[in-house]
């Protein structure tokens, strides 16, 4: 299954995996890669906390297991779809603490940091 933004309005990038979707898709479906940790589904405030409208570039990932670009961008093995090259910002401290408690290591996708 692939994930593609339904329209080009209100596109946001997941701060954990850099998947691109519009706000409504994140609110309705959550993040197809990170939902089990970020719990975005049906929580618009959480969508705004854990995604960013500010990102650089786009990658169309069609073969996540064999793509050298996927390996380079640290998105190997994730769902097919559109990904940001860099996501401006980082997850809020309280979300980072939640991830740590779950044993998940968070690494910012902001290449400008």
């Amino acid at each position: 299954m692939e994930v593609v933004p339904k329209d080009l309005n209100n596109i946001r990038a997941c701060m954990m995996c850099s998947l691109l979707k519009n706000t409504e898709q994140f609110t309705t479906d959550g993040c197809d890669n990170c939902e089990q940790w970020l719990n975005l589904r049906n929580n618009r405030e959480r969508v705004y906390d854990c995604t960013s409208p500010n990102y650089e570039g786009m990658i169309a990932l069609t073969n996540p297991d064999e793509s050298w670009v996927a390996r380079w961008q640290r998105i190997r093995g994730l769902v097919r779809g559109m990904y940001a090259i860099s996501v401006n910002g980082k997850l809020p401290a309280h979300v980072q603490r939640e991830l740590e408690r779950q044993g998940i290591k968070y690494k910012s996708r902001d290449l400008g940091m």
Side-chain angles (χ1 to χ4, degrees):
M1 181 173 118
E2 68 276 342
V3 180
V4 179
K6 289 185 178 177
D7 61 54
L8 297 177
N9 296 321
N10 302 311
I11 300 254
R12 300 182 70 86
C14 175
M15 289 189 199
M16 194 161 167
C17 73
S18 75
L19 181 67
L20 294 172
K21 296 169 80 169
N22 67 36
T23 306
E24 289 305 315
Q25 287 174 292
F26 274 120
T27 303
T28 301
D29 304 323
C31 178
D32 298 71
N33 297 307
C34 308
E35 185 59 23
Q36 64 184 346
W37 305 292
L38 295 182
N39 302 306
L40 305 180
R41 188 177 294 125
N42 298 321
N43 189 338
R44 190 170 292 261
E45 184 177 333
R46 187 79 166 189
V47 167
Y48 287 126
D49 282 347
C50 299
T51 66
S52 174
N54 302 311
Y55 58 88
E56 303 293 327
M58 288 187 198
I59 297 167
L61 182 63
T62 58
N63 194 345
D65 294 321
E66 297 181 22
S67 167
W68 70 266
V69 174
R71 202 168 37 248
W72 183 265
Q73 288 294 123
R74 301 184 338 258
I75 57 175
R76 189 173 190 185
L78 300 184
V79 300
R80 294 180 190 144
M82 299 297 295
Y83 288 84
I85 293 172
S86 176
V87 181
N88 299 342
K90 61 182 182 176
L91 289 172
H94 71 279
V95 175
Q96 290 185 45
R97 284 191 299 272
E98 289 174 18
L99 292 172
E100 285 176 19
R101 281 194 291 270
Q102 296 177 60
I104 305 300
K105 182 167 173 55
Y106 168 66
K107 183 167 181 182
S108 174
R109 297 254 171 204
D110 192 341
L111 299 179
M113 294 182 88

